[in-house]
Amino acid sequence: MPFDEKNPSAVPAHRITLDERRRLTVSGVEEVESFDESSIVMRTQNGSLIIHGSDLHIEKLSLDGGDLLVQGEVDALTYEEEESSSFFSRLFRG
């Protein structure tokens, strides 16, 4: 859905671009739930996305525009289905 000036709440589409496994751009980000050098957990328009890797750093985050730029070695991208459980129950499940 293209951006509509009459509807400023329109969020950009969810897209992922990975360059050489070292630079990751994600659009359609609604919230970053947690991050460290080995993983980043975020909520997107299409569900929760987990980025796994090493030496991960968030270089740019714009929740107004829904854009995220990550630098580091990306090993995997994983989507999780939305659950009614809280963030902490997802974090501590075994």
Side-chain angles (χ1 to χ4, degrees):
M1 173 186 240
F3 179 75
D4 182 1
E5 288 184 29
K6 295 177 186 174
N7 185 6
S9 65
V11 179
H14 177 58
R15 288 196 173 93
I16 296 176
T17 305
L18 180 60
D19 297 319
E20 301 288 326
R21 291 183 59 192
R22 301 283 309 156
R23 179 181 170 96
L24 177 70
T25 306
V26 183
S27 63
V29 176
E30 296 174 349
E31 178 182 6
V32 175
E33 295 180 354
S34 68
F35 63 93
D36 59 30
E37 289 189 345
S38 63
S39 67
I40 300 172
V41 180
M42 68 189 79
R43 190 175 68 234
T44 72
Q45 293 175 336
N46 291 33
S48 292
L49 173 62
I50 304 171
I51 302 166
H52 300 278
S54 58
D55 200 27
L56 299 176
H57 299 281
I58 296 175
E59 296 292 322
K60 176 187 167 193
L61 173 61
S62 171
L63 293 179
D64 292 336
D67 296 319
L68 176 77
L69 172 61
V70 175
Q71 300 277 355
E73 185 73 22
V74 176
D75 294 330
L77 302 170
T78 307
Y79 283 94
E80 285 189 347
E81 291 189 31
E82 292 297 318
E83 298 177 6
S84 60
S85 62
S86 71
F87 166 72
F88 289 107
S89 66
R90 290 192 317 259
L91 182 66
F92 293 113
R93 72 178 163 198

